[in-house]
């Protein structure tokens, strides 16, 4: 019952997102006809009118909104004005690149963040712990595009280890492994850049919750039992201190698409972020709405999944629900 | 021993011959050229999509009747020769006979007629082919363009950027050419390179068209055009050799940095026909800027040198009229407005705009449409404060927001960038002709400038076949608008082409990367 209720809320939320986004975009002055004129270096009145009627922009607002929602309910996100392709096709084409980037970055941030967090929680006043904190804060506060450009200058220009832009080198020919290696090489810098934001969050959070857990009674009991330090930290303490980290990771996952926009732009990563930026600049309403709808869907599903994950990790949550 | 010496002598002679050959730089066949696009093209058919982003792949995929080098003299391309009739009312193109489309079908006069018709119906620059009433095709390799009046602009319009020859048997299948699926995939072109793959937002991959009609060309096997939006990333990729060539680079800081890199050449050559100009436009119909004296005062108060040196860091050139200084029709002997604050103040005093108790005479808005223009707008505010004009800088969230304001004539002043697009008939007339005051249309005569003599001059210059007379008409036009200042031109855009020293014959003609790269090669 509870689950059904949540799903129902989720659907209502998604519809609200659709209506809100559509209305807000409609309120903005100007439309795709202007950006098409821009990309063409000018246009005359006739052509502008034609574009507007081709895309139904001359219809009243409510008619346009109604038509859009009707289409979405039939799993049709419409046709991109700018690329003249179905929005669903565009999103699906760009999705794998973004998922690859974001999931790898999240995984890296999570693993390294937790390790750093645990390490610095065990030596809270050591020099290296302060170093970890400093490093994490730096990663969090530096704007990602700046971190990205710095990494590019360091590792593409001064020490040319990694390529500057894109996901594949189209001039590379070879079998699966050659191509996989090529993609891996292109991935390193964007993944490190994107994970630098999350790394800070995870390591700080993990450190705090680990320190709290390490100070609790049952850890003292475990120590009294004569368990090794290693067992205490990994088996007893870590498991309990992970639940806030997992909650955060779940919530962050939704923010990941927004973070990916900047990283993808700097590294010309052919993902959803680049598409989102391009369509916003071009005022390509169906594509923007499609991506926003998709992001909302990811957030909603992400939250549901986080709940499920927490139930697995923490039996207390299971009891409450 | 003697034989050894003789061999040595022969070998030395051979080496020196080879060295001479190498320094003469024979173009080499083969190789993959990697270039950058700053934006993703919407699609690849320049017949229905104008602009420089489609122009770059478009000029490789499609050939045009004519082509241009560094000077403005037309060269044979698909048309091996051409003739303008004495009355100027018909232009005969004699097409090369062995040209084929990428699918192997011959390129005929039918295709030329079809291309002209498609462009007339769908291309945004209506004035290019407006006087063309019909295209006659007496035989397969002769096309005669019939005109309602002489139309010298046709010569520049017949280049790759504006007049791609597209196959009738593909794009004439009844589908709307603007949304034809083969604009993006399976493009069937007439140019030196054919399409391998177009991934929007990622890349355009082109490969040599073996059946290209020019013997031995193109030299390159492949061209990969990568979409890299971030200018700093492009600069790094050029520096580390990942990119061979990038055009339309306009970020002053990057240009100056790239100029210092030994492995690269950075040059402002190659944009004369594109003709990009920055200017401050005035609303000449309503508000204080309707008074020509106010416009003069503003021009005197704005220091062009500040814009050229402090904002553009010396990467751009002075522009004094609506015609690009690289054009043979440019008239440099026009009224100029060198910085003179006292004169500006005096003009406003004499005009009766007295300073108030706060030292201000009146207030104006200044708009800008894209972030690159923000420094100009802020500078305008600071500069005009000195002559008692209180300027508010109005930012726009994005291009459509700005276009809506300016197109709707809701502005006092705005910074703008407008291209000449070859002949003045295509890209210059639209800004000054009173018949082109069209509310809601960006880059029409949004200044609402009206001058009967200017209208008359542009009308006659548009159809004047004699080059000297035509130049005189445009000179007079430039003098009048420089006196009346519907817009105040400040500079050409700092467009630069950056290329690796490995690249031979980069596209430095007047159309930059919108020209065919069949002669480009890798050393």
């Amino acid at each position: 019952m509870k689950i059904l209720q949540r799903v129902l809320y989720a659907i209502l939320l998604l519809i609200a997102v659709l209506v809100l986004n559509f209305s807000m975009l409609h309120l903005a002055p100007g439309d795709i006809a202007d950006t098409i004129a821009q990309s063409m270096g000018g246009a005359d009145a006739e052509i502008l009118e034609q574009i507007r009627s081709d895309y139904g922009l001359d219809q009243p607002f409510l008619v346009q909104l109604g038509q859009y929602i009707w289409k979405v309910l039939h799993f049709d996100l419409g046709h991109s004005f700018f690329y003249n392709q179905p929005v669903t096709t565009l999103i699906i084409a760009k999705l794998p690149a973004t998922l690859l980037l974001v999931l790898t970055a999240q995984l890296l941030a999570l693993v390294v963040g937790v390790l750093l967090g645990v390490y610095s929680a065990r030596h809270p006043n050591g020099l290296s712990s302060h170093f970890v904190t400093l490093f994490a804060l730096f990663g969090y506060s530096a704007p990602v595009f700046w971190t990205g450009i710095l990494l590019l200058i360091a590792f593409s220009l001064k020490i040319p280890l990694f390529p500057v832009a894109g996901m594949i080198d189209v001039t590379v020919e070879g079998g699966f492994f050659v191509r996989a290696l090529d993609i891996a090489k292109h991935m390193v810098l964007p993944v490190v850049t994107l994970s630098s934001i999350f790394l800070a969050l995870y390591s700080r959070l993990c450190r705090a919750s680990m320190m709290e857990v390490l100070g609790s009674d049952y850890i003292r009991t475990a120590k009294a039992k004569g368990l090794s330090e290693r067992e205490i930290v990994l088996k007893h303490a870590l498991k309990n201190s992970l639940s806030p980290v997992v909650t955060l990771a779940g919530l962050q996952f939704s923010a990941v698409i927004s973070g990916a926009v900047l990283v993808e732009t700097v590294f010309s990563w052919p993902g959803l972020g680049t598409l989102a930026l391009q369509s916003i600049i071009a005022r390509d309403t169906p594509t923007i709405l499609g991506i926003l709808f998709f992001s909302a869907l990811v957030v909603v599903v992400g939250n549901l999944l986080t709940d499920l994950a927490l139930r697995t990790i923490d039996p207390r949550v299971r009891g409450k629900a | 021993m003697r034989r050894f010496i003789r061999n040595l002598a022969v070998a030395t002679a051979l080496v020196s011959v080879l060295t001479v050959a190498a320094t003469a730089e024979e173009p080499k066949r083969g190789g993959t050229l990697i270039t950058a696009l700053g934006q993703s093209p919407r699609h690849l058919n320049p017949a229905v999509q104008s602009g420089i982003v489609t122009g770059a792949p478009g000029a490789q995929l499609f050939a045009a009747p004519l082509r241009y080098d560094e000077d403005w003299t037309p060269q044979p391309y698909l048309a091996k020769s051409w003739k303008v009739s004495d009355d100027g009312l018909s232009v005969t193109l004699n097409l090369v006979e062995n040209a084929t489309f990428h699918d192997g079908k011959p390129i005929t006069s039918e295709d030329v007629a079809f291309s002209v018709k498609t462009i007339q119906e769908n291309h945004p620059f209506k004035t290019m082919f407006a006087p063309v009433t019909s295209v006659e095709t007496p035989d397969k390799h002769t096309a005669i363009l019939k005109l309602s009046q002489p139309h010298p602009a046709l010569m520049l319009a017949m280049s790759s950027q504006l007049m791609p020859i597209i196959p009738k048997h593909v794009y004439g299948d009844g589908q709307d050419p603007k949304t034809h699926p083969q604009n993006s995939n399976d493009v069937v072109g007439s140019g030196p390179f054919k399409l391998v793959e177009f991934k929007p937002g990622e890349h355009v991959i082109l490969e040599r068209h073996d059946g290209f009609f020019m013997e031995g060309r193109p030299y390159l096997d492949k061209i990969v055009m990568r979409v890299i939006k971030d200018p700093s990333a492009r600069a790094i990729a050029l520096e580390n050799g990942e990119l061979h060539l990038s055009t339309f680079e306009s970020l002053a800081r990057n240009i100056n940095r790239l100029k210092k890199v030994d492995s690269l050449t950075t040059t402002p050559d190659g944009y004369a026909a594109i003709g990009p100009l920055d200017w401050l436009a005035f609303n000449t119909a309503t508000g204080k800027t309707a008074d020509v004296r106010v416009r003069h005062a503003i021009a005197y108060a704005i220091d062009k040198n500040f814009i050229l040196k402090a904002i553009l860091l010396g990467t751009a050139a002075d522009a004094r009229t609506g015609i690009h200084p690289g054009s043979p029709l440019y008239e440099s002997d026009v009224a100029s407005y060198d910085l003179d604050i006292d004169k500006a103040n005096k003009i406003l005093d004499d005009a009766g705009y007295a300073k108030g108790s706060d030292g201000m005479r009146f207030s104006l808005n200044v708009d800008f449409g894209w972030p690159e223009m923000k420094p100009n707008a802020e500078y305008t505010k600071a500069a005009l404060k000195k002559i008692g004009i209180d300027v508010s800088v109005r930012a726009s969230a994005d291009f459509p927001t700005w276009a809506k304001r300016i197109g709707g004539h809701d502005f006092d002043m705005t910074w703008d960038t407008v291209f000449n697009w070859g002949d003045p008939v295509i890209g210059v007339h639209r800004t000054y002709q009173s018949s082109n005051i069209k509310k809601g249309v960006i880059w029409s005569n949004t200044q609402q400038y009206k001058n009967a003599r200017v209208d008359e001059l542009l009308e006659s210059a548009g159809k004047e076949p004699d080059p000297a007379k035509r130049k005189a008409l445009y000179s007079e036009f430039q003098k009048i608008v420089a006196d009346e200042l519907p817009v105040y031109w400040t500079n050409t855009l700092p467009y630069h082409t950056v290329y690796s020293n490995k690249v031979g014959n980069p596209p430095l003609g007047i159309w930059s990367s919108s020209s065919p790269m069949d002669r480009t090669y890798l050393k």
Side-chain angles (χ1 to χ4, degrees):
Chain A
M1 189 59 213
K2 275 270 157 71
I3 294 284
L4 264 181
Q5 203 177 16
R6 294 206 55 168
V7 170
L8 187 71
Y9 283 155
I11 292 174
L12 285 177
L13 183 73
L14 286 176
I15 293 180
V17 164
L18 275 181
V19 174
L20 259 177
N21 286 338
F22 194 94
S23 316
M24 284 200 302
L25 279 174
H26 196 85
L27 280 177
D31 56 36
I32 181 83
D34 295 315
T35 54
I36 290 181
Q38 179 194 22
S39 77
M40 300 201 292
D44 74 346
E46 233 174 277
I47 288 197
L48 291 178
E49 273 323 299
Q50 165 122 47
I51 294 169
R52 292 198 173 102
S53 83
D54 284 354
Y55 296 133
L57 298 173
D58 48 358
Q59 304 276 325
F61 168 67
L62 282 178
V63 175
Q64 289 187 45
L65 177 65
Q67 281 172 346
Y68 185 71
I69 292 184
W70 185 249
K71 271 201 266 180
V72 175
L73 289 177
H74 291 77
F75 304 103
D76 176 8
L77 290 178
H79 226 71
S80 160
F81 296 160
F82 196 78
Y83 288 117
N84 191 36
Q85 283 181 29
V87 171
T88 328
T89 316
L90 280 173
I91 291 182
I92 289 172
K94 302 287 177 190
L95 189 60
T98 295
L99 282 182
L100 183 67
L101 173 68
V102 164
L103 290 180
T104 320
Q106 276 280 353
L107 196 69
L108 182 75
L110 203 57
V111 171
V112 178
V114 167
L115 285 178
L116 288 179
V118 169
Y119 175 80
S120 65
R122 286 182 60 203
H123 316 277
N125 295 314
L127 187 66
S128 44
S129 164
H130 288 308
F131 183 74
V132 167
T133 311
L134 187 75
F135 173 73
L137 283 179
F138 180 79
Y140 186 65
S141 17
V144 278
F145 53 87
W146 187 74
T147 316
I149 293 282
L150 275 193
L151 286 174
L152 276 180
I153 293 176
F155 297 108
S156 290
L157 189 60
K158 299 293 174 203
I159 315 165
L161 288 177
F162 302 110
V164 180
M167 184 166 120
I168 46 163
D169 182 344
V170 288
T171 57
V172 165
E173 279 169 24
F176 177 76
F177 283 103
V178 179
R179 283 166 194 277
L181 191 73
D182 180 48
I183 293 181
K185 258 171 86 178
H186 281 83
M187 268 175 72
V188 175
L189 294 183
V191 163
V192 170
T193 310
L194 186 57
S195 63
S196 70
I197 334 165
F198 306 111
L199 191 70
L201 287 177
Y202 296 146
S203 68
R204 295 293 294 161
L205 194 67
C206 182
R207 179 178 190 264
S209 82
M210 192 75 184
M211 280 173 73
E212 197 190 319
V213 171
L214 282 178
S216 57
D217 289 345
Y218 78 95
I219 296 290
R220 210 178 330 143
T221 315
K223 276 186 188 158
K225 278 200 301 189
L227 289 180
S228 74
E229 176 87 19
R230 192 189 166 83
E231 263 180 302
I232 293 172
V233 170
L234 292 183
K235 278 197 172 160
H236 291 70
L238 185 59
K239 207 172 166 189
N240 281 329
S241 57
L242 265 188
S243 71
V245 177
V246 171
T247 314
L248 184 71
L251 291 177
Q252 281 302 320
F253 190 78
S254 5
V256 139
I257 293 186
S258 57
V261 173
L262 293 171
V263 176
E264 286 186 6
T265 307
V266 171
F267 293 96
S268 307
W269 191 261
L272 274 185
T274 322
L275 182 68
L277 188 71
Q278 166 84 44
S279 51
I280 289 169
I281 291 173
R283 201 63 81 72
D284 186 357
T285 317
T287 315
I288 308 175
L289 287 172
I291 294 173
L292 288 176
F293 178 73
F294 182 77
S295 314
L297 198 70
V298 170
V299 172
V300 169
V301 174
N303 284 353
L304 282 173
L305 289 180
T306 314
D307 269 7
L308 288 176
L310 280 179
R311 280 158 192 255
T312 325
I313 293 177
D314 190 342
R316 286 170 301 177
V317 180
R318 235 175 299 171
K320 274 181 225 153
Chain B
M1 186 65 197
R2 210 167 32 191
R3 202 167 153 197
F4 171 70
I5 289 172
R6 204 180 59 199
N7 280 351
L8 189 71
V10 169
T12 322
L14 259 177
V15 167
S16 52
V17 165
L18 284 174
T19 327
V20 169
T23 45
E25 276 184 5
E26 272 298 301
K28 233 170 68 184
R29 266 276 288 119
T32 300
L33 180 79
I34 317 237
T35 73
L37 295 172
Q39 280 163 42
S40 181
R42 283 185 75 207
H43 60 70
L44 308 173
N45 186 351
V48 294
Q49 169 75 36
S50 172
I52 50 178
V53 187
T54 294
Q60 317 316 320
L61 288 165
F62 297 96
L66 305 177
R67 61 192 289 166
Y68 288 83
D69 291 334
E70 287 79 3
D71 66 13
W72 294 69
T73 320
Q75 316 254 343
Y77 193 25
L78 264 177
K80 59 183 178 190
S81 63
W82 59 94
K83 190 177 174 340
V84 182
S85 67
D86 292 337
D87 59 2
L89 294 180
S90 75
V91 177
T92 307
L93 302 175
N94 300 307
L95 305 177
V96 289
E97 271 130 42
N98 57 341
T100 56
F101 287 109
H102 298 163
D103 60 1
K105 300 228 168 78
I107 301 174
T108 68
S109 51
E110 285 285 324
D111 297 301
V112 174
F114 172 73
S115 303
V116 169
K117 187 169 158 273
T118 308
I119 296 166
Q120 273 186 320
E121 283 167 6
N122 300 288
H123 198 283
F125 300 163
K126 293 287 176 213
T127 51
M128 284 193 303
F129 295 110
V132 179
T133 48
S134 66
V135 181
E136 289 175 5
T137 52
D139 66 61
K140 275 190 164 186
H141 301 291
T142 311
I144 306 172
L145 282 74
K146 292 283 179 191
L147 307 170
S148 59
Q149 62 178 48
H151 189 50
L154 194 61
M155 292 323 262
L156 276 157
M158 286 197 291
S159 50
S160 297
Q161 168 77 53
L162 302 172
M163 190 178 162
I165 298 304
I166 58 174
K168 187 180 181 185
H169 63 272
V170 175
Y171 297 95
D173 61 359
Q175 300 188 65
D176 182 354
K178 284 199 296 299
T179 52
H180 200 285
Q182 279 175 279
N183 289 346
S184 298
N185 300 306
D186 305 318
V187 173
V188 179
S190 48
F193 293 90
K194 55 187 183 185
L195 184 67
V196 177
E197 184 182 57
F198 168 43
K199 275 197 177 177
E202 284 179 57
H203 56 238
V204 182
I205 303 176
L206 307 169
E207 112 193 319
R208 184 179 201 271
H209 171 40
D210 291 326
F212 188 55
F213 63 92
M214 297 180 103
E215 191 58 40
R217 305 233 197 104
Y219 296 129
L220 293 164
D221 281 339
K222 259 187 176 181
I223 300 179
V224 176
M225 301 184 166
R226 298 176 58 187
V227 179
I228 303 181
K229 292 196 184 82
D230 189 88
S232 308
R234 283 201 301 274
I236 294 171
L238 282 160
E239 262 188 271
N240 84 352
E242 222 172 286
L243 280 177
H244 296 129
L245 168 76
S246 180
T247 50
F248 294 95
E249 290 296 343
S250 62
L251 203 62
R253 221 175 36 247
N254 278 354
I255 293 168
N256 284 338
R257 195 163 65 78
L258 291 170
K259 274 184 189 162
K260 291 181 197 138
V261 179
D262 291 336
S263 59
L264 300 171
T265 306
T266 302
T267 166
D269 294 343
Y271 298 95
I274 308 272
L277 300 175
D278 280 344
W279 67 52
L280 179 66
F282 299 106
N283 189 331
T284 66
T286 48
K288 295 283 192 295
T289 48
D291 185 340
V292 68
R293 294 168 297 181
V294 171
R295 305 202 292 269
H296 283 155
I298 292 173
Y300 278 117
I302 288 175
D303 184 6
K304 259 193 198 183
N305 271 324
F306 181 87
I307 293 174
L308 288 170
K309 292 197 177 121
I311 299 181
L312 297 167
L313 310 174
T315 55
D318 182 12
R320 291 160 166 248
T321 84
I323 294 180
H324 190 274
S327 163
L329 297 168
Y330 179 64
E331 173 59 69
S332 61
D333 182 24
V334 296
S336 64
Y337 301 87
D338 297 333
L339 178 68
D340 193 337
I341 299 288
D342 294 337
K343 192 166 181 181
N345 269 314
K346 190 169 177 306
I347 292 173
L348 291 176
D349 287 338
D350 293 349
Y353 300 103
K355 280 190 181 173
S357 53
D358 57 351
M360 289 298 164
R361 302 171 196 273
F362 51 83
S363 37
L364 291 175
N365 288 323
V366 65
D367 283 274
F368 63 97
W370 40 94
E372 290 80 359
M373 278 295 191
K374 194 171 177 222
N376 292 46
E378 278 166 357
Y379 168 68
T380 311
K381 181 183 168 75
L384 298 193
K385 200 176 170 195
K386 292 181 190 154
I387 58 168
I389 300 177
D390 180 25
V391 174
S392 322
V393 176
R394 284 202 303 184
S396 293
D398 56 8
F399 182 84
T401 312
W402 175 81
K404 186 92 185 161
R405 277 180 184 166
I406 309 307
H409 304 163
D410 164 30
F411 73 105
D412 295 323
M413 302 183 281
T414 184
W415 282 96
D416 199 353
T417 300
V418 181
F419 291 4
N420 276 184
W421 292 118
D423 194 274
V425 167
I426 305 168
V428 178
H429 288 202
R430 56 180 175 167
T431 312
Y432 312 94
Q433 256 172 342
S434 65
S435 57
N436 200 32
I437 303 177
K438 288 179 177 163
K439 206 166 187 173
V441 182
I442 193 60
W443 295 323
S444 59
N445 181 356
T446 46
Q447 296 68 238
Q448 308 144 71
Y449 175 64
K450 279 183 199 159
N451 180 319
R453 178 66 188 150
V454 165
D455 286 343
E456 204 179 289
L457 284 169
L458 295 179
E459 173 82 30
S460 348
K463 57 184 180 195
E464 176 54 63
D466 181 71
K469 284 188 194 152
R470 191 164 193 242
K471 189 172 159 62
L473 291 168
Y474 278 122
S475 285
E476 192 187 341
F477 151 73
Q478 289 172 80
K479 284 176 199 232
I480 296 177
V481 286
D483 284 338
E484 301 200 333
L485 291 187
V487 303
Y488 181 48
W489 314 271
T490 52
N491 55 275
T492 64
L493 247 72
Y495 280 149
H496 277 66
T497 297
V498 187
Y499 58 95
S500 151
N501 295 345
K502 284 186 202 143
V503 179
N505 288 338
L508 298 178
I510 55 171
W511 285 107
S512 182
S513 47
S514 298
S515 32
M517 291 201 265
D518 57 330
R519 286 179 295 202
T520 305
Y521 64 96
L522 284 168
K523 290 172 193 170

